[in-house]
Amino acid sequence: RVAIYTRKSTSEGLDQEFNSLDAQREAVEAYVQSQKGKGWVALTERYDDGGYTGANTERPGFRRLLQDIEAGEVDIVAVYKIDRLSRSLGDFARVIDVLDNRGISFVSVTQDFNTATSMGKLTLNILMSFAQFEREVIAERTRDKIVATRRRGDWTGGTPVLGYDVVDKKLVINAEEAEQIRGIFDAFLRLQSLPAILEELHERGVRTKRYTSGSGRTHGGRKFDKASLRRILQNPLYVGDLRAGESIVSGNHDAIVDRGTWDRAQDHTEQRGPTAPERVRSQTLLSGLLWCERCGERMVAHSTSKGAKRYRYYVCQTQLKQGARACPGSRVSAPTLEESVVDRLRVVGRDPKVLAAALKVSNESPTEEANRLQSRQRALDADRNQLRRRRRRVLNQLEDGGPSAGASERLRQVEAQIENVESERDDSREAILALHDRVDEEELADSLAAFLPLWEELLADERRRLLELVIDRLTYSGEKGTVDIELRDGSGPSKKAESCRSSA
């Protein structure tokens, strides 16, 4: 039972009585007929995808083929050429793996090989490597062409920005939004504080650019945060320039902000240093355990430098995104808070009930924390797969349609997001492996009995692991200057210890 799959990247000519899909099928049917002596029979079901790229697997005919393969209705998959099935080496390898697992052969009738043989598999891998290489070369050439177009000052598309509308693929000033942009720059030069500007924008009801994408979905129209505000202050579009690769060139659109205002804004940005504090990448002692009482958001570790000295602190997500006035008092010195929590545990650690609970939690497999990390790992896997599909769609635009508006910039953004997700996946995987190391009962008992001397000898990861065994949640109150410690009881729900006073 031979399933014949056909595909054409564009829809041009598909309305003809005899089109490219028909020609492919006719050639494959003739080959199947020549193998009649081996018992080959072409299925009457048509698996055609007209107007679909081979750069991804989002194709209705291909999906139906996979469903019939799963149902055991196919013995051989035959195509005119291998790139009709897929032009992505990764996708093709996964499809071949599915076929191999079910004992199904793959045949390309014009390239004379069959995956039922080792030579056929070798030939297949070589051809697919060249197909992917060709696709990547096309993408590279298109990116270069987009950069060259920008160097001439022409807008090549991308996410619409506040202050401009896109008319006939050109940037045209939106008068109302342009006034908002000028107000943002004036406020920055006047206040020189992103939180203060954010508060002013929120009071005036200024929102991010609202637009409708080609798919009909509405985007934007949200409150500004520090990141979106920083992008406006650093976007050369507003002074009439464009980014072309690593260079800034003069654009063919009108400026909204005069050069003097722009230069002063950039000078203030450089003098102030990074607008956002540097994120502490290493695991901090209370990360993942600490929450803000006022807004209920998680508190994360950050640091900032003054001269040669670095200051560590915890701050809630609300304040981090919207400024100090959005959640006042939710920033606390990290060393002070950590010392306060540890001092409290030195007393609580003598309680035999706490020891029993810690032992029970430490020897559960998998632990609650491991389940949480594994759930996060699955979510990151899903995010990575979604980003990879998005990357394939962008590459598809580059491959089948030539340079598309903003494709190069979207590709750069997606690749950066994939890199961030994969970095977080690696951190999560290491944390999961660390959690599976069972804690020795005698060692844990000794550590709680002699908390002070042992604590000073523990490595950072060991200290954090010990706190996770004992603490379920920390809630910081900026108004009271206290942190509540909820201890694990070993059975699920937590029990709340006495609040410990923090002098932060």
Side-chain angles (χ1 to χ4, degrees):
R1 298 169 299 176
V2 183
I4 301 174
Y5 178 78
T6 63
R7 182 185 66 82
K8 186 176 185 294
S9 296
T10 64
S11 57
E12 182 180 356
L14 292 179
D15 55 348
Q16 297 176 1
E17 184 176 350
F18 186 81
N19 55 47
S20 175
L21 299 180
D22 296 324
Q24 291 178 45
R25 183 172 181 87
E26 185 177 84
V28 178
E29 284 179 337
Y31 182 84
V32 173
Q33 183 66 22
S34 71
Q35 303 297 312
K36 187 176 181 181
K38 298 180 181 180
W40 288 28
V41 177
L43 296 176
T44 56
E45 178 72 20
R46 293 186 66 119
Y47 304 98
D48 300 333
D49 281 318
Y52 289 90
T53 177
N56 58 59
T57 58
E58 301 301 321
R59 293 168 263 154
F62 181 77
R63 290 297 182 187
R64 285 190 292 104
L65 174 61
L66 290 182
Q67 290 172 2
D68 288 349
I69 289 173
E70 292 282 352
E73 299 175 1
V74 176
D75 300 311
I76 298 172
V77 174
V79 296
Y80 182 72
K81 290 175 61 177
I82 61 170
D83 63 359
R84 296 304 87 195
L85 189 67
S86 177
R87 297 192 67 174
S88 165
L89 183 58
D91 288 341
F92 199 94
R94 284 189 287 272
V95 172
I96 293 300
D97 187 52
V98 170
L99 299 182
D100 286 344
N101 290 337
R102 288 162 177 76
I104 299 173
S105 298
F106 173 77
V107 176
S108 172
V109 302
T110 60
Q111 291 156 325
D112 194 23
F113 68 87
N114 188 330
T115 58
T117 67
S118 58
M119 182 58 69
K121 290 182 179 179
L122 175 61
T123 307
L124 173 66
N125 289 332
I126 293 174
L127 290 174
M128 281 307 302
S129 295
F130 275 103
Q132 178 158 319
F133 172 74
E134 178 189 10
R135 181 164 166 260
E136 291 174 353
V137 168
I138 292 173
E140 184 177 344
R141 289 174 179 170
T142 305
R143 285 194 295 267
D144 292 342
K145 186 173 182 179
I146 290 174
V147 171
T149 302
R150 285 199 163 213
R151 285 176 181 155
R152 295 199 302 267
D154 294 333
W155 168 250
T156 57
T159 302
V161 296
L162 189 69
Y164 290 100
D165 294 328
V166 180
V167 180
D168 295 331
K169 298 182 180 181
K170 295 182 179 180
L171 293 178
V172 177
I173 291 179
N174 181 309
E176 181 180 352
E177 294 178 357
E179 285 302 316
Q180 296 175 351
I181 293 296
R182 297 187 187 100
I184 289 174
F185 276 87
D186 291 343
F188 179 68
L189 295 178
R190 173 169 41 89
L191 302 173
Q192 298 184 28
S193 167
L194 292 186
I197 300 174
L198 286 174
E199 183 178 4
E200 186 173 302
L201 293 179
H202 293 167
E203 291 176 353
R204 288 161 44 194
V206 179
R207 297 291 187 268
T208 60
K209 178 76 173 183
R210 187 178 182 87
Y211 65 96
T212 302
S213 64
S215 62
R217 295 181 58 186
T218 301
H219 303 269
R222 299 178 179 178
K223 288 184 177 181
F224 275 95
D225 56 23
K226 288 184 179 180
S228 55
L229 184 57
R230 193 180 306 114
R231 283 195 294 271
I232 283 182
L233 294 170
Q234 297 175 347
N235 194 338
L237 279 177
Y238 296 118
V239 76
D241 292 339
L242 282 171
R243 285 193 178 95
E246 300 297 325
S247 306
I248 302 293
V249 299
S250 179
N252 294 328
H253 61 282
D254 295 328
I256 292 178
V257 178
D258 63 83
R259 180 69 63 176
T261 299
W262 167 262
D263 290 340
R264 288 196 301 274
Q266 304 315 301
D267 289 341
H268 281 301
T269 302
E270 293 175 2
Q271 292 171 5
R272 288 163 51 84
T275 355
E278 180 184 352
R279 179 69 183 268
V280 181
R281 296 187 63 85
S282 60
Q283 286 190 335
T284 313
L285 190 61
L286 305 181
S287 290
L289 299 173
L290 187 61
W291 300 79
C292 174
E293 182 185 61
R294 176 185 289 269
C295 67
E297 290 290 334
R298 189 186 296 273
M299 298 184 70
V300 294
H302 274 68
S303 72
T304 187
S305 299
K306 187 174 183 180
K309 191 171 183 180
R310 172 167 292 186
Y311 299 89
R312 294 193 304 112
Y313 59 92
Y314 292 97
V315 60
C316 77
Q317 298 273 22
T318 300
Q319 184 178 140
L320 189 63
K321 294 178 180 179
Q322 301 179 23
R325 297 191 180 185
C327 189
S330 59
R331 181 189 298 241
V332 58
S333 164
T336 302
L337 186 62
E338 290 166 0
E339 182 180 355
S340 179
V341 171
V342 172
D343 286 343
R344 177 60 187 157
L345 290 181
R346 286 176 180 139
V347 178
V348 176
R350 300 189 184 99
D351 188 341
K353 294 181 179 179
V354 174
L355 174 59
L359 292 175
K360 182 175 182 179
V361 171
S362 67
N363 291 325
E364 288 177 351
S365 180
T367 64
E368 181 182 349
E369 177 66 7
N371 288 333
R372 184 188 69 79
L373 287 171
Q374 288 168 353
S375 176
R376 178 58 180 160
Q377 186 85 0
R378 289 191 292 271
L380 289 170
D381 287 339
D383 291 344
R384 183 183 62 172
N385 292 337
Q386 182 179 8
L387 288 168
R388 285 177 171 176
R389 288 194 294 270
R390 189 180 304 169
R391 179 173 60 185
R392 286 197 297 269
R393 287 196 294 270
V394 176
L395 288 172
N396 166 41
Q397 294 176 357
L398 296 174
E399 173 193 358
D400 291 336
S404 62
S408 178
E409 179 65 18
R410 290 199 301 276
L411 182 62
R412 185 191 64 79
Q413 294 175 355
V414 170
E415 288 176 343
Q417 291 173 335
I418 291 175
E419 182 179 351
N420 291 336
V421 168
E422 289 182 341
S423 176
E424 188 175 350
R425 286 180 72 255
D426 292 340
D427 293 341
S428 178
R429 189 183 305 110
E430 291 178 3
I432 291 173
L433 292 175
L435 284 175
H436 285 293
D437 294 335
R438 294 171 68 86
V439 178
D440 181 79
E441 296 185 10
E442 183 177 354
E443 181 182 356
L444 182 57
D446 289 343
S447 70
L448 291 175
F451 191 87
L452 179 58
L454 182 63
W455 182 262
E456 300 301 329
E457 298 297 326
L458 293 177
L459 298 175
D461 287 344
E462 294 170 335
R463 291 182 178 185
R464 178 179 172 83
R465 173 64 177 144
L466 182 58
L467 292 188
E468 289 175 341
L469 290 174
V470 178
I471 297 175
D472 183 69
R473 182 186 177 99
L474 298 170
T475 305
Y476 175 72
S477 171
E479 296 177 347
K480 302 175 184 177
T482 61
V483 58
D484 287 342
I485 305 176
E486 297 182 20
L487 301 175
R488 295 181 182 272
D489 66 4
S491 61
S494 307
K495 68 177 182 180
K496 193 168 184 178
E498 297 178 10
S499 299
C500 59
R501 177 66 57 178
S502 167
S503 59

